[in-house]
């Protein structure tokens, strides 16, 4: 028997039974083509797009693909600032002889000639790019260190030293490469990584003098293959204090070329499929050559510039919560980790802007930099803008007032940076830092401090002054070493950096 279907119903026959369900089909006259279709001509920010009844013309296809490739390349630039930065650090240090498994050290502290993202001049650095391609490595760590390990994408792996498993006493660490299945001998702190290239970042206190800190590291820090543990070769040290070189990423196609080099070296599962897919969309695929043609090279150069501009906009005018230290006021003081979150994840979602704010301006990820314990560790406040939320002008004079009883167990320091390089501002002062450890720094009668910024020191304030440069901008970081409870609970807070003239 023939069953007649109602006009707007669909008949479904299931084992002899007839079931009718509502049909959502509509006649063409009921459909709003402006909503589900596209006009024959559309004006957009990337130009006029033309179609024949929804089919794009060849010119429109070309325009849309250029835009799609550029958007994806910009996202690659922003998403991979961490890996790009660590790779640039590795290349920069290799240029002065500090290749992988060699220790680069600031024997005279960090000076402004060396371009490092927001490095400080108050502690001694020892950096090593651990390469596990040839197998497990042993690191003999001296006592008294404060450090951490990040992988090739600048993701946290483990702490070392005072906040690590050796508890500041030093000891032997065994680094195992990805997929290692060999025997693991006893007597080591074992570090397992997902990448072959990793950063070991160490800081040493100089409270007992710089020479003693340098001697401790050069005499006791050792790096050698596990296979040569019975007769370890000498560890090479390279002093980079005052050496002129850069560890910064480039804003052109070379950023993507370097990223491709990293992808080719590291295991395919070092990053997830979504990240690999984004890289593949612009031609970066493990096991395949990266060879952008003239069109794609132009797009990648454009994308890097747009990406850098985006990172700077996100830094200076953040739209996300958790960046400002004192959000209840109009304060300009910000923190490097939004909400003190070093994973950059929030409720299972990656906070893309928070990740950019940190990686574009700083290096080295460890939860210890965001967990404040009264009297221990360190905490930072960053001023990218002045008290009126305006850009700092190097031709003008500013003042920072710190109220009495600065709450630190160790010391505090203010360092000034170049807004272009995000590295130490290069002035006539070899160490653009002032603070409680500075020779001759004067305290006010009530126990407070005033620090001046400007091209010339105000009369009588030479010891309480950091030099700026006319024609350039700058920003500053206040570092609190061993912050105490009044800093942590915000009952004590620094003044804003105010324009004097």
């Amino acid at each position: 028997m023939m069953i007649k279907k109602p006009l707007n119903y669909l008949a479904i026959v299931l084992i002899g039974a007839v079931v009718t369900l509502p049909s959502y089909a509509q006649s063409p006259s009921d459909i709003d083509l402006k909503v589900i279709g596209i006009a024959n001509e559309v004006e957009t920010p990337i130009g006029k797009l033309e179609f024949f009844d929804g089919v794009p013309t060849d010119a429109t296809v070309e325009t849309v693909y250029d835009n799609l490739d550029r958007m994806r390349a910009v996202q690659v630039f922003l998403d991979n600032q961490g890996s790009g930065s660590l790779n640039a650090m590795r290349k920069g240090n290799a240029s002065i002889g500090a290749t992988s498994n060699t220790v680069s050290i600031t024997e005279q502290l960090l000076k402004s000639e060396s371009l490092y993202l927001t490095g400080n001049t108050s502690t001694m650095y020892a950096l090593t790019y651990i390469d596990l391609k040839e197998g497990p490595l042993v690191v003999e760590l001296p006592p008294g260190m404060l450090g951490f390990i990040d992988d090739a994408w600048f993701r946290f792996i483990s702490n070392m030293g005072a906040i690590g498993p050796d508890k500041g006493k030093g000891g032997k660490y065994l680094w195992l490469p990805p997929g290692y299945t060999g025997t693991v001998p006893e007597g080591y702190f074992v570090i397992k990584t997902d990448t072959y290239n990793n950063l070991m970042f160490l800081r040493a206190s100089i409270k007992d003098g710089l020479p003693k800190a340098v001697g401790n590291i050069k005499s006791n820090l050792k790096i050698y293959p596990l296979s040569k543990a019975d007769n370890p070769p000498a560890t090479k040290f390279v002093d980079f204090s005052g050496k002129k070189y850069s560890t910064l990423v480039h804003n052109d196609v070379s950023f993507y070329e370097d990223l491709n080099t990293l992808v080719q070296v590291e295991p395919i599962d070092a990053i997830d499929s979504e990240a690999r897919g984004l890289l593949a969309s612009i031609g970066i695929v493990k096991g395949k050559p990266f060879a952008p043609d003239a069109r794609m090279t132009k797009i990648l150069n454009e994308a890097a510039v747009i990406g850098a501009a985006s990172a700077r906009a996100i830094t200076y005018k953040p739209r996300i919560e958790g960046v400002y230290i004192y959000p209840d006021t109009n304060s300009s003081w910000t923190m490097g980790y939004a909400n003190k979150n070093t994973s950059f994840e929030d409720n299972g979602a990656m906070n893309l802007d928070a990740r950019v704010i940190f990686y574009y301006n700083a290096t080295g990820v460890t939860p210890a930099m965001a967990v404040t314990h009264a009297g221990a560790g360190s905490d930072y406040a960053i001023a990218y803008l002045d008290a009126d939320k305006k850009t700092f002008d190097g031709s003008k004079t500013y003042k920072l007032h710190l109220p009495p009883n600065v709450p630190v167990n160790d010391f505090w320091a203010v360092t000034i940076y170049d807004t272009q390089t995000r590295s130490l501002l290069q002035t006539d002062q070899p160490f653009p830092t002032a603070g409680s450890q500075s020779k001759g720094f004067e305290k006010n009668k009530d126990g407070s401090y005033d620090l001046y910024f400007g091209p010339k020191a105000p009369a009588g304030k030479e010891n309480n002054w950091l030099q700026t440069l006319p024609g350039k901008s700058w920003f500053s970081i206040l570092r609190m070493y061993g912050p105490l409870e009044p800093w942590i609970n915000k009952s004590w807070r620094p003044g804003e950096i105010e324009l004097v003239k």
Side-chain angles (χ1 to χ4, degrees):
M1 181 177 69
M2 179 179 294
I3 301 175
K4 293 184 179 181
K5 295 181 292 183
L7 182 61
N8 288 322
Y9 278 75
L10 174 66
I12 299 179
V13 179
L14 294 176
I15 316 178
V18 177
V19 181
T20 57
L21 296 175
S23 170
Y24 297 100
Q26 294 174 294
S27 65
S29 60
D30 297 325
I31 300 172
D32 185 354
L33 290 176
K34 292 181 180 179
V35 176
I36 67 170
I38 194 165
N40 286 338
E41 289 187 0
V42 183
E43 292 290 346
T44 75
I46 61 173
K48 180 188 291 186
L49 305 181
E50 297 180 323
F51 305 82
F52 171 67
D53 198 25
V55 181
T57 64
D58 289 345
T60 292
V61 168
E62 183 177 343
T63 298
V64 168
Y65 273 137
D66 282 353
N67 183 61
L68 186 60
D69 289 341
R70 190 179 299 107
M71 288 193 303
R72 287 173 171 169
V74 168
Q75 199 60 50
V76 166
F77 183 90
L78 295 175
D79 287 354
N80 290 274
Q81 278 301 299
S83 55
S85 181
L86 193 147
N87 199 43
M89 290 173 65
R90 183 186 60 78
K91 286 181 61 178
N93 278 276
S95 72
I96 61 168
T99 53
S100 294
N101 305 333
T102 296
V103 181
S104 52
I105 185 173
T106 55
E107 294 189 27
Q108 292 87 44
L109 300 181
L110 181 64
K111 296 183 179 180
S112 59
E113 291 89 345
S114 306
L115 301 184
Y116 275 84
L117 291 178
T118 53
N120 78 68
T121 67
S122 304
T123 57
M124 192 187 73
Y125 288 133
L127 311 175
T128 306
Y129 303 94
I130 298 292
D131 185 354
L132 300 173
K133 199 71 174 177
E134 302 303 319
L137 284 176
V138 175
V139 173
E140 294 188 16
L141 189 72
M145 294 292 101
L146 182 68
F148 56 86
I149 303 161
D150 288 343
D151 73 3
W153 264 263
F154 241 138
R155 298 170 298 203
F156 174 72
I157 299 175
S158 177
N159 287 315
M160 303 179 77
I163 53 177
D166 66 280
K167 306 300 182 183
K169 298 178 181 179
K172 292 184 178 181
Y173 284 77
L174 178 61
W175 295 55
L176 303 179
Y180 181 75
T181 58
T183 301
V184 180
E186 296 182 353
Y188 294 92
F189 300 113
V190 178
I191 302 295
K192 297 180 180 180
T193 76
D194 293 326
T195 59
Y196 293 110
N197 293 282
N198 306 274
L199 171 69
M200 183 175 72
F201 185 101
L202 301 175
R203 292 190 300 178
S205 170
I206 59 174
K207 65 179 181 180
D208 295 324
L210 184 57
K212 186 174 181 179
V214 172
N216 180 38
I217 287 183
K218 296 187 73 173
S219 298
N220 299 308
L221 179 59
K222 300 177 182 179
I223 302 172
Y224 51 86
L226 177 63
S227 60
K228 298 181 179 180
D230 293 336
N231 185 27
T235 300
K236 180 182 177 182
F237 294 86
V238 175
D239 177 18
F240 66 91
S241 294
K243 290 193 176 181
K244 188 176 182 179
Y245 71 106
S246 173
T247 67
L248 309 182
V249 299
H250 291 182
N251 299 333
D252 61 14
V253 67
S254 65
F255 174 88
Y256 303 96
E257 293 169 342
D258 289 346
L259 185 56
N260 174 69
T261 299
L262 183 65
V263 167
Q264 301 307 324
V265 170
E266 297 299 342
I268 192 169
D269 57 357
I271 53 177
D272 62 28
S273 60
E274 185 77 18
R276 291 198 301 270
L278 186 60
L279 293 173
S281 72
I282 62 168
I284 298 176
V285 180
K286 185 173 177 63
K288 294 184 179 181
F290 177 60
D293 57 18
R295 166 191 165 274
M296 196 63 187
T297 297
K298 177 177 179 293
I299 286 174
L300 293 174
N301 279 318
E302 294 169 349
V305 172
I306 295 171
S310 301
R312 290 171 183 270
I314 292 169
T315 296
Y316 283 87
K317 299 288 184 179
R319 301 187 301 181
I320 59 175
E321 296 181 350
V323 176
Y324 290 100
I325 298 176
Y326 310 104
D328 56 321
T329 67
N330 198 37
S331 172
S332 291
W333 290 111
T334 67
M335 62 185 81
Y337 293 109
N339 293 307
K340 291 189 174 293
N341 185 341
T342 58
S343 73
F344 312 110
E345 291 188 19
D346 184 18
N347 292 324
M350 179 61 67
N351 190 327
L352 301 178
D353 285 6
R355 186 171 62 183
V356 168
I357 287 173
F358 181 82
Y359 281 128
Y360 192 71
N361 300 287
T363 54
V365 174
T366 167
M369 294 176 67
V371 178
T372 48
H373 298 288
S378 58
D379 203 3
Y380 310 144
I382 308 171
Y384 288 113
L385 301 172
D386 71 10
D388 297 318
K389 296 292 182 75
K390 294 182 179 179
T391 305
F392 289 113
D393 185 338
S395 67
K396 299 178 180 178
T397 300
Y398 299 81
K399 183 177 77 170
L400 167 64
H401 179 74
L402 299 182
N405 304 313
V406 179
V408 290
N409 192 41
D410 300 321
F411 65 96
W412 61 268
V414 175
T415 304
I416 194 168
Y417 295 94
D418 186 318
T419 51
Q420 288 285 11
T421 65
R422 291 93 70 210
S423 304
L424 295 173
L425 186 65
Q426 296 183 11
T427 65
D428 295 332
Q429 297 173 320
F431 299 106
T433 298
S436 56
Q437 288 190 321
S438 300
K439 184 177 180 180
F441 198 95
E442 298 179 1
K443 183 186 295 188
N444 297 325
K445 291 181 179 180
D446 64 353
S448 65
Y449 296 90
D450 289 320
L451 176 61
Y452 294 86
F453 309 82
K456 293 183 180 180
K461 302 296 182 182
E462 289 79 7
N463 292 330
N464 291 44
W465 164 70
L466 287 175
Q467 184 181 10
T468 62
L469 302 173
K472 284 194 64 61
S473 187
W474 54 274
F475 68 92
S476 188
I477 298 181
L478 167 63
R479 288 181 168 88
M480 307 286 281
Y481 292 94
L484 299 176
E485 192 60 33
W487 167 265
I488 296 171
N489 65 25
K490 302 179 184 180
S491 59
W492 182 98
R493 56 184 285 181
E496 300 296 307
I497 302 180
E498 299 180 328
L499 178 66
V500 176
K501 62 177 182 179

